[in-house]
Amino acid sequence: VVVVQHIYTSFDITLSTPPPGARPYAGYLYLGGYVQRASESVHDHLELDNGVIGEWSGAAAAQKFVHSAFPNQNRPRGWGTQRDNELAVNLRYQRSWRLQKATIGRLELDGIPRLGFDAGNVFVRANADLTLRLGFNLPDDFGPPRLLDYSDATGSWEGDWGVYAYVRGGARAVAHNIFLDGNTFANSRSVDKRYVVAALSVGMLGRYKHLEAGWGVTWLSEEFDTQGNGDSYGSLFARLSFPF
């Protein structure tokens, strides 16, 4: 089970009325439940998310609180133009395959292709990507954690340590994105979305005994016509795991 909040704003948050073509303001708060199963070479992830979009999501209050807590931060002023309140239901399915490992001296190399889709009033889209990993003592999981995505809960590492670098490339075909297209049952701000969005990620991940930590950077192509340029973001994660 996961609880997630998304916050979307225009580039200049100091404007009370964002200009036409700017990313619309939107908040999304949802509770997600998922199941996973895996064999030696195949992993399935099925998830159902239920939540709210709009003022009910609490996104405006959350951003305003964070900005008020730090000095010299701009006050967000555009939330009066955000999405109308709407109940949100989204189904997600992903299947991954782990290809047989190859060795280069003491290094191990493997590949993890993935296909999937979303269906609901939040997203209607399909995706495909390929992750390549190179390192020592690769785990038997199906790839590193992804920001704004799920983590594989079925895999494990062997031995006390391991480390690898990875690169991931892929794309998604988008038929509907409520954060760009506007509300389902009400008129709201919208922009002309791109029907194909590409992504590239690089990073490193390592483990020593019970501690696992990683770093990654992702670049996205433009999601809508008036965006100007693509987005990029970095992520850090750490977790402790214990068998029981």
Side-chain angles (χ1 to χ4, degrees), residues 55-91:
E55 185 179 0
W56 292 341
S57 71
Q63 188 186 40
K64 290 176 181 178
F65 170 77
V66 171
H67 280 244
S68 67
F70 293 91
N72 303 319
Q73 291 294 310
N74 291 326
R75 180 183 175 186
R77 299 180 182 275
W79 281 103
T81 65
Q82 73 169 306
R83 290 282 173 269
D84 289 345
N85 290 323
E86 182 172 333
L87 297 177
V89 178
N90 216 73
L91 178 70

Side-chain angles (χ1 to χ4, degrees), residues 130 167-171 198-202 217-221 231 233:
L130 172 65
V167 59
R168 177 189 298 121
L200 176 68
S201 301
V202 297
V217 178
T218 296
W219 296 270
L220 295 171
S221 65
D231 287 322
Y233 57 84

Side-chain angles (χ1 to χ4, degrees), residues 64-138:
K64 290 176 181 178
F65 170 77
V66 171
H67 280 244
S68 67
F70 293 91
N72 303 319
Q73 291 294 310
N74 291 326
R75 180 183 175 186
R77 299 180 182 275
W79 281 103
T81 65
Q82 73 169 306
R83 290 282 173 269
D84 289 345
N85 290 323
E86 182 172 333
L87 297 177
V89 178
N90 216 73
L91 178 70
R92 186 174 195 199
Y93 173 72
Q94 302 285 325
R95 167 163 282 199
S96 304
W97 296 264
R98 187 173 58 245
L99 306 180
Q100 187 172 358
K101 291 179 184 177
T103 57
I104 307 173
R106 295 182 59 192
L107 291 171
E108 296 178 330
L109 171 69
D110 71 1
I112 305 169
R114 187 181 78 154
L115 295 173
F117 68 86
D118 289 77
N121 65 318
V122 182
F123 299 112
V124 178
R125 61 189 183 184
N127 65 273
D129 59 54
L130 172 65
T131 303
L132 298 176
R133 306 188 294 184
L134 178 68
F136 298 95
N137 300 328
L138 294 180

Side-chain angles (χ1 to χ4, degrees), residues 8 20 32 105 125 127 150 188 195 199 202 206 213:
Y8 300 93
R125 61 189 183 184
N127 65 273
Y150 66 88
S188 57
Y195 288 94
V202 297

Side-chain angles (χ1 to χ4, degrees), residues 5 18 21 37-39 41 45 51 78 92 123 144 149 152 189 197 199:
Q5 184 181 59
R37 67 177 184 180
S39 65
S41 59
H45 174 94
R92 186 174 195 199
F123 299 112
D149 210 330
D152 173 19
R189 284 178 170 246
V197 179

